[in-house]
Amino acid sequence: MAIQKLYAGAKLRELRGRLGLTQKDFAGKLGVSLPYLNQMENNNRPVSSGVMLGLVQEFGFDLSELGSGDTERLVSDMREALADPVFAGSETSPPLPDLRLTASNAPALARAFLDLHRAYRQTHERLASLDEALGREGARVSASPWEEVRDFFHYCDNYVDAVDRAAERFATLAGDDLDGHILTAFEAEGVTIRYAAGEGVRRYDTARKELTISPRAAPETQRFQLLHQYALVAQDRLLDATLDLARFQTDTARAIAKIGMANYFAGAVLMPYARFSEAAADTRHDLEQLSMRFGASIEQIAHRLSTLQRPGAKGIPFFFVRVDQAGTITKRHSATRLQFARFGGACPLWNVHQAFEVPGRFLRQLAETPDGVRYFCLARDVSKSGGSFHAPVRRYAIGLGCEVQHAEAVVYADGMALSKAEAYQPIGISCRICERANCHQRSVPPLERHLRIDPNRRGTLPYEVG
């Protein structure tokens, strides 16, 4: 089997910039000539094994960071953006190799293109609802704060080192009495905690320094919300310093991201990195066992598994997604090559949509994407009670999965025909960019392909994909 060459010029330039070294000094420490380093940084040469060894010995660099995670994400996002009808008039669409070169050689340019396309889409959507936009004082086009925050976590592999380690320190100090330590920590901050039913699960009065938690919430939810508020009260400087590095375009995006950071802290306290990672491996990623061991919900456990990307101590690269009953993705992250649709719905053949039909059960699926990559997929509903008879029930489903080479380390894959090609169901990202010509669940034609229409013939679809 041929060995795939590794081109990582952007990563080398980024590392050299972080170290504050010139090309000459960097080349000297790696034991290569200046022209050779220049060629590697411009992706004219692959990274050699000698350079990899130098990166580890000289700088303690985690070689897994040289992987193509960001590149694949950018390529997937650019392909989806280029499938927009606005590009339909172009005579030629950039071929896949060109997109990969752009993503690896000029990632900043690729992200600028995606930002521009996102701004265009939002302008188009605002014009479509012009009646609502008219008369708004100071109206302007800007990136969606929600999407901006989602992309921030997406491109940092859903792992924030400073916050994760601070949470792990808090959990270490707590020992076996996390609940007691939480109360002591709030007392040290002068915050009073009370339990009373009202609007919402958590409410904090900043003037009185009083935190109210709903007794109707599940115990794991109460604990999570206590830790969330503690992060906002006692870890405020750390969260702000981390957010400063993100350089969000709006205050709204920064505020949303701060909530996300507080959630991250809470989850990382409940499931401290080293201990959780070890337990995940010991239980073969059994969500129910991990839920009982760490006092967290199934959704919290699945989400945490997707964040185990600490350099030098990475876990299995999982993807994690949460969808509502309409198929809208409300949470998403992928440490794998599988990327989720940024616009429109996800593939209807994916088992996460079937989870609503069989509540309380884990659904298993072997799936293959159009690029030939095979995955093990797990899905389950995670409906959430409102806490009373008249309160509405929130219904979601979660999906968790990994590339099939990791499936043997996951208990849910036991007994599945991992080696049989016919066991894998073909899935895509979304219909608008899926290349499969004969999918029986296709909702719209692929935007990059020509269609053949024959009024005298009808197959699975009323058209044939060229």
Side-chain angles (χ1 to χ4, degrees), residues 345-381:
C347 177
L349 298 178
W350 193 14
N351 68 342
V352 71
H353 302 295
Q354 301 168 16
F356 294 105
E357 302 172 13
V358 284
R361 289 178 52 191
F362 287 101
L363 299 184
R364 307 184 301 169
Q365 180 185 38
L366 296 178
E368 182 176 336
T369 48
D371 57 4
V373 181
R374 294 175 175 176
Y375 298 90
F376 167 75
C377 306
L378 184 71
R380 179 177 161 155
D381 81 298

Side-chain angles (χ1 to χ4, degrees), residues 322-340:
R322 189 181 75 178
V323 303
D324 64 17
Q325 286 183 290
T328 304
I329 296 176
T330 59
K331 288 184 180 179
R332 66 175 173 90
H333 170 65
S334 179
T336 71
R337 284 177 282 182
L338 178 66
Q339 304 304 323
F340 305 116

